[in-house]
């Protein structure tokens, strides 16, 4: 019973880190991610005292240099343009906050399980995403729960309600969709390797989790489709199905997929035809697929909006170093005398364009190099996980076509897992031949 309670509390910590939110229970300006980062700092401090000295991990030192370059470019962009928008000026501090929180999470998992690994961290992330999806439906259908969540979770619920979007405890809009996408890639990797581990008896449970995140995750944010597509391609390419040949090592996986589909699809069809809310949410989640089936063409409302937001800089200075505005300055900068637009600066929410308008191609290139360096370090640390980590990076760059959120959170977690611990855990769960 004690172990179950510890696992539950660990899951709560993981959720508060992966889907951070502000709350009246914390001091103003602090969110749950920052709180866990402070905990990570305390854990690190105690370890330093216990070891009578400490060495700075070369990985973290190198990443700090790359993040510092991003921060300095943003500082120059803001100073040169005379703006007060510091959205990415302190990105190095943001990076260390993610790393501090990830360090705390990995140490908590190790304290509870005696081990920490990519698989263990993935299991917690999968469970947290399933919880967030289920919770989103509960919040949407139970007014009392919605009132409680709205009272203690400060997440911009008014906007979510105005656009009629599902939200959960810290999970909403495209940021949630991006993080669901990352977990779907992790899930695909586990599904491909599961037959060689002691987790194979839980194959059906992983598939149920996958279905929940795909369906409800897309109801919350269609950005989840990025992870859905990448994970399906990953599964097909590594199962031999792209060559119309099914590898023996994945036959059990596809047998379970077929069996679960036979049970789940009829139920979803029934709900689609009998539940008005479910009908609306599913139509929203898979709007493009419905349009392709019914009209013969791919058509998604948000994509049409994005097309209207494609606004390129009209001068060399902006292309090189940006205008120093990431957020719309109309309500924040009393000295702004530029073009008046609604919504975001220059009326665009396209991730790449927002970053260019803020810090130019110089900053965008530096930021991209930082993310690629983080992925490279993770690939070098964990042999056999290269394709999975590459796809995690792909999620980041694909999502930037829609929003400017970054996925450093997942690399922070990976880089806080010791290579030796991960190798030992992989051997621990390996099925004897």
């Amino acid at each position: 019973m004690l172990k179950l309670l510890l696992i539950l509390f660990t899951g709560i910590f993981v959720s508060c880190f992966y889907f951070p939110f502000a709350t009246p229970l914390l001091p103003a300006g602090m969110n749950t991610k920052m709180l866990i980062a402070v905990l990570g700092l305390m854990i690190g401090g105690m370890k330093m005292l216990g070891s009578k000295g400490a060495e700075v991990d070369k990985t973290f030192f190198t990443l700090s240099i790359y993040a510092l370059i991003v921060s300095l470019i943003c500082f120059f962009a803001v100073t040169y343009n005379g703006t007060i928008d510091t959205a990415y000026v302190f990105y190095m501090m943001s990076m260390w906050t993610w790393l501090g929180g990830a360090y705390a999470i990995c140490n908590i998992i190790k304290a509870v399980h005696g081990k920490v690994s990519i698989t263990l961290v993935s299991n917690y992330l999968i469970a947290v995403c399933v919880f967030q999806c289920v919770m989103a439906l509960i919040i949407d259908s139970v007014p009392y729960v919605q009132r409680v969540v709205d009272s203690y979770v400060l997440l911009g619920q008014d906007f979510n309600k105005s656009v009629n979007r599902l939200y959960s405890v810290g999970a909403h809009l495209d940021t949630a969709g991006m993080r669901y996408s990352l977990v779907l890639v992790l899930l695909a990797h586990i599904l491909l390797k599961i037959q060689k581990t002691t987790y194979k008896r839980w194959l059906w449970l992983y598939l149920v989790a996958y279905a929940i995140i795909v369906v409800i995750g897309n109801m919350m944010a269609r950005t989840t489709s990025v992870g859905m597509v990448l994970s399906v391609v990953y599964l097909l390419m590594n199962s031999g199905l792209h060559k119309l040949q099914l590898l023996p090592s994945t036959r059990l996986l596809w047998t379970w997929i077929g069996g679960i589909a036979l049970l789940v699809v009829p139920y979803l069809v029934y709900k689609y035809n009998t539940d008005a809310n479910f009908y609306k949410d599913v139509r929203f989640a898979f709007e493009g697929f419905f349009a392709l089936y019914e009209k013969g063409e791919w058509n998604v409302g948000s994509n049409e909006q994005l097309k209207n937001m494609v606004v390129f800089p009209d001068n060399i200075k902006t292309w090189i170093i940006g205008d120093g505005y990431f957020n719309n300055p109309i309500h924040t900068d009393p000295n702004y005398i530029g073009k008046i637009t609604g919504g975001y600066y220059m009326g665009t929410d396209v991730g790449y364009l927002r970053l260019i308008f803020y810090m130019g191609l110089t900053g965008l290139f530096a930021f991209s190099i930082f993310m690629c360096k983080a992925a490279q370090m993770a690939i070098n640390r964990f042999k056999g996980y290269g394709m999975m980590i590459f796809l995690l990076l792909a999620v980041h760059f694909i999502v930037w076509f829609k929003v400017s959120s970054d996925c450093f959170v997942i690399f922070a977690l990976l880089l806080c897992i010791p290579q030796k611990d991960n190798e030992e855990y992989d051997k621990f769960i390996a099925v004897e031949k």
Side-chain angles (χ1 to χ4, degrees):
M1 179 60 74
L2 178 61
K3 182 68 174 286
L4 288 175
L5 286 175
L6 290 173
I7 291 173
L8 176 62
F9 280 114
T10 302
I12 292 172
F13 276 106
V14 173
S15 183
C16 289
F17 170 74
Y18 198 62
F19 294 103
F21 58 89
T23 172
L25 302 176
L26 293 176
M30 176 177 277
N31 61 28
T32 54
K33 173 188 68 177
M34 298 175 185
L35 181 65
I36 295 172
V38 172
L39 178 60
L41 184 64
M42 293 171 61
I43 293 172
M46 289 187 290
K47 286 192 173 185
M48 289 172 63
L49 292 174
S51 62
K52 297 181 180 179
E55 296 182 0
V56 178
D57 190 307
K58 183 180 178 181
T59 297
F60 301 149
F61 178 77
T62 303
L63 272 182
S64 295
I65 297 299
Y66 280 82
L68 177 61
I69 292 172
V70 175
S71 292
L72 289 175
I73 291 173
C74 293
F75 176 74
F76 178 80
V78 168
T79 304
Y80 181 81
N81 288 288
T83 73
I84 58 175
D85 192 332
T86 59
Y88 281 87
V89 170
F90 303 105
Y91 188 74
M92 188 176 74
M93 294 178 61
S94 176
M95 183 208 76
W96 273 103
T97 302
W98 281 118
L99 284 172
Y103 183 75
I105 292 299
C106 290
N107 275 275
I108 292 171
I109 291 175
K110 187 168 184 176
V112 172
H113 296 273
K115 306 172 184 67
V116 63
S117 71
I118 293 177
T119 301
L120 270 175
V121 171
S122 297
N123 285 341
Y124 274 102
L125 292 176
I126 293 164
V128 162
C129 287
V130 170
F131 163 78
Q132 293 286 357
C133 288
V134 173
M135 196 67 189
L137 294 182
I138 294 174
I139 291 171
D140 187 56
S141 57
V142 182
Y144 174 75
V145 175
Q146 185 181 76
R147 286 195 297 271
V148 171
V149 171
D150 290 351
S151 298
Y152 291 100
V153 178
L154 306 179
L155 196 69
Q157 287 92 330
D158 290 341
F159 177 78
N160 288 315
K161 291 173 183 176
S162 68
V163 294
N164 201 24
R165 300 285 287 274
L166 296 176
Y167 63 90
S168 188
V169 185
H172 73 139
L173 302 178
D174 292 307
T175 300
M178 181 197 71
R179 291 177 187 167
Y180 288 149
S181 292
L182 296 172
V183 169
L184 288 174
V185 171
L186 296 176
L187 244 171
H189 180 84
I190 290 176
L191 290 172
L192 286 169
K193 305 296 182 182
I194 201 167
Q195 270 194 259
K196 298 179 181 180
T197 72
T198 55
Y199 283 107
K200 63 181 180 181
R201 65 183 181 276
W202 301 112
L203 175 58
W204 66 273
L205 191 58
Y206 282 107
L207 287 171
V208 170
Y210 184 90
I212 290 173
I213 296 172
V214 164
V215 175
I216 304 178
N218 272 291
M219 291 179 181
M220 297 175 69
R222 287 180 294 213
T223 314
T224 306
S225 294
V226 173
M228 178 185 71
V229 172
L230 289 177
S231 61
V232 169
V233 171
Y234 189 28
L235 289 171
L236 292 176
M237 294 293 289
N238 287 275
S239 298
L241 288 178
H242 65 294
K243 296 180 180 179
L244 301 179
Q245 296 176 351
L246 183 60
L247 297 178
S249 60
T250 61
R251 284 175 183 168
L252 180 62
L253 168 63
W254 288 100
T255 299
W256 269 107
I257 290 176
I260 291 177
L262 288 174
L263 294 175
V264 173
V265 171
Y267 174 73
L268 293 178
V269 171
Y270 169 77
K271 287 283 289 182
Y272 177 80
N273 288 292
T274 59
D275 188 321
N277 286 331
F278 188 78
Y279 173 87
K280 170 181 63 68
D281 291 335
V282 168
R283 296 283 301 190
F284 169 82
F286 303 103
E287 181 182 358
F289 295 98
F290 281 108
L292 186 63
Y293 174 74
E294 296 171 354
K295 302 176 182 178
E297 61 179 14
W298 184 270
N299 187 14
V300 179
S302 59
N303 289 351
E304 293 302 315
Q305 293 176 0
L306 281 177
K307 288 180 182 178
N308 297 326
M309 291 183 178
V310 177
V311 181
F312 294 106
D314 58 4
N315 61 86
I316 297 298
K317 187 271 295 181
T318 302
W319 276 110
I320 296 174
I321 199 61
D323 292 339
Y325 288 115
F326 182 74
N327 299 302
N328 197 324
I330 295 175
H331 306 295
T332 58
D333 190 347
N335 298 318
Y336 179 70
I337 57 174
K339 181 180 179 181
I340 304 297
T341 59
Y344 300 96
Y345 178 63
M346 288 297 172
T348 181
D349 190 26
V350 178
Y352 284 102
L353 293 175
R354 288 190 71 188
L355 293 173
I356 291 173
F357 276 115
Y358 182 63
M359 51 182 152
L361 288 174
T362 306
L364 177 64
F365 180 74
F367 199 3
S368 299
I369 291 297
F370 164 78
M371 294 303 303
C372 290
K373 188 63 179 178
Q376 180 195 30
M377 288 177 168
I379 291 172
N380 291 340
R381 178 174 292 201
F382 303 110
K383 307 301 180 184
Y385 291 84
M387 181 53 67
M388 181 197 80
I389 296 171
F390 174 78
L391 290 177
L392 293 175
L393 182 64
V395 170
H396 168 80
F397 285 110
I398 294 172
V399 168
W400 264 5
F401 282 103
K402 190 172 184 183
V403 293
S404 56
S405 297
D406 71 77
C407 64
F408 182 70
V409 54
I410 199 68
F411 295 122
L413 285 166
L414 292 176
L415 293 173
C416 285
I417 300 171
Q419 180 181 359
K420 183 179 178 182
D421 285 26
N422 189 69
E423 290 174 353
E424 289 178 352
Y425 191 79
D426 282 351
K427 291 178 182 178
F428 174 72
I429 63 173
V431 175
E432 294 184 4
K433 294 182 180 180

